[in-house]
Amino acid sequence: MSVLVIGSVALDSVKTPFGEVEEALGGSATYASASASFFDTVNLVAVVGEDFGEKNIQPLSGFEIDLSGLVRSPGKTFRWKGYYTYNLNEAITTETCLNVFADFNPILSDEHKKASHVFLANIDPELQLKVLEQIEKPEIILLDTMNFWIENKKDALIETIKKVNILVLNDAEARELVGEANLIKAAGKIREMGPDRVIIKKGEHGALMFSKSGIFSAPAYPLENIFDPTGAGDTFAGGLIGYLSDVHGKSEEDFRRGVIFGSAMASFVVEKFSLDRLKILTWEEVRDRYCQFKALTHFE
Ligand code: AMP
């Protein structure tokens, strides 16, 4: 099987208390694809502008990602600017320039239409819907979003949510989406909208997965050095969908293992800027961290 990822490919300018980077490769589809590629083959669908050169794409070259769905359009590449204070759980956005994404009309190839596992990474929900409509027989569709779209395209987002199996979002977004402060009640309301599962990320406090089987609580890996949290959510989702695709997973246990693999991947990406940590990450390190997650919560 293989994973189809649609989302943003971006040039990110990010400042954290530990450093700063200008126009580094980022974007939801970038992080998610790199992460999923540790588990299965990945097809990326996104758009970049004419200003996106060889040096911008270079960080993706070490990963096994089919880039035939990465379209180049007249105009400028999507740009995101943000910063973090010592509260690394919250990115403060200072600029979002959609640029070529404003007119993007994703047309899937015949091969991409056959995808079984699809990650609709954070992007305009109208684009997510357009992709969804072209997939012939999806098995699992995982959707991500953020406050920007909850505030600007809520109707399209709700239409998209109705059609997916799993929604992943952070705690503040879950509360904002359904106007409910309590996360258990918020997850219940979101599941009533359509998805079988809702995964609520709580940054350095881990993630909660809600389904008819109950609640699964995954810790976050206790890291001493978090350098830049950008992309942690996308990397988490990429690891989850990549794992599910690889093992053809459908059971509760498969989803739980997928959440832990996703958490393990996210715990690496935050150690450096952009894809710098994933670029040198080995499968042995991923495996080891997965086992450390088990040890973290084991008790008799
Ligand atoms: P996260 O995993 O939530 O930290 O996602 C970070 C990535 O999301 C960055 O690399 C940004 O380029 C990208 N991003 C930020 N805002 C948006 C947006 N409105 N639509 C799509 N992607 C975005």
Side-chain angles (χ1 to χ4, degrees):
M1 292 207 204
S2 65
V3 178
L4 184 75
V5 177
I6 179 200
S8 57
V9 169
L11 295 175
D12 286 350
S13 298
V14 187
K15 196 169 175 183
T16 80
F18 316 107
E20 188 168 349
V21 77
E22 282 281 316
E23 307 228 316
L25 180 64
S28 55
T30 304
Y31 284 108
S33 299
S35 178
S37 75
F38 279 77
F39 301 89
D40 213 339
T41 48
V42 179
N43 301 284
L44 180 153
V45 172
V47 62
V48 289
E50 288 157 320
D51 56 349
F52 198 83
E54 253 327 288
K55 88 169 195 315
N56 300 116
I57 195 78
Q58 205 277 332
L60 269 180
S61 60
F63 301 94
E64 279 202 33
I65 302 171
D66 180 324
L67 295 174
S68 60
L70 182 65
V71 176
R72 188 183 298 269
S73 285
K76 288 178 96 179
T77 301
F78 176 87
R79 276 166 174 79
W80 178 74
K81 276 190 189 170
Y83 69 94
Y84 299 82
T85 61
Y86 279 101
N87 173 12
L88 294 167
N89 285 334
E90 196 195 350
I92 298 152
T93 297
T94 48
E95 211 174 298
T96 301
C97 299
L98 293 179
N99 295 333
V100 285
F101 268 106
D103 304 309
F104 183 44
N105 184 20
I107 310 285
L108 298 190
S109 68
D110 288 345
E111 196 202 326
H112 291 166
K113 285 180 189 161
K114 294 189 174 55
S116 57
H117 290 72
V118 181
F119 178 40
L120 303 172
N122 179 26
I123 194 65
D124 186 336
E126 285 175 13
L127 294 180
Q128 293 175 321
L129 212 47
K130 276 187 186 165
V131 167
L132 207 48
E133 281 159 1
Q134 298 173 62
I135 307 287
E136 288 165 4
K137 266 170 72 185
E139 278 179 33
I140 295 184
I141 297 172
L142 173 63
L143 175 74
D144 189 11
T145 192
M146 72 182 293
N147 53 355
F148 185 86
W149 303 113
I150 297 172
E151 286 151 25
N152 294 305
K153 294 268 176 102
K154 193 159 182 183
D155 291 347
L157 180 60
I158 289 171
E159 272 316 296
T160 316
I161 291 173
K162 280 185 192 162
K163 298 185 164 65
V164 306
N165 308 91
I166 319 172
L167 175 64
V168 55
L169 72 184
N170 72 32
D171 44 3
E173 291 156 359
R175 292 185 171 109
E176 187 175 353
L177 178 64
V178 288
E180 171 59 64
N182 181 285
L183 288 183
I184 303 168
K185 290 184 188 161
K189 284 190 178 176
I190 296 171
R191 287 186 57 228
E192 278 168 19
M193 292 162 80
D196 298 332
R197 285 174 192 272
V198 176
I199 301 174
I200 299 185
K201 299 168 289 175
K202 298 188 296 160
E204 62 182 333
H205 306 296
L208 294 172
M209 175 166 64
F210 298 85
S211 70
K212 68 173 184 326
S213 307
I215 305 176
F216 174 61
S217 173
Y221 188 75
L223 281 173
E224 281 188 30
N225 298 311
I226 302 179
F227 195 70
D228 173 20
T230 309
D234 310 308
T235 305
F236 167 87
L240 168 63
I241 196 83
Y243 174 78
L244 292 173
S245 171
D246 181 41
V247 301
H248 305 193
K250 290 204 172 85
S251 69
E252 175 65 22
E253 289 312 313
D254 292 325
F255 280 100
R256 291 183 176 205
R257 280 190 287 268
V259 165
I260 298 298
F261 270 117
S263 306
M265 294 304 296
S267 74
F268 286 111
V269 81
V270 300
E271 291 178 354
K272 289 183 189 285
F273 276 129
S274 187
L275 294 180
D276 291 355
R277 183 64 180 96
L278 297 191
K279 254 175 5 195
I280 52 169
L281 182 65
T282 64
W283 175 246
E284 286 65 38
E285 288 178 298
V286 177
R287 234 5 285 182
D288 277 359
R289 197 155 280 183
Y290 177 84
C291 295
Q292 288 162 16
F293 264 92
K294 239 184 185 163
L296 254 183
T297 49
H298 178 83
F299 69 93
E300 314 237 347

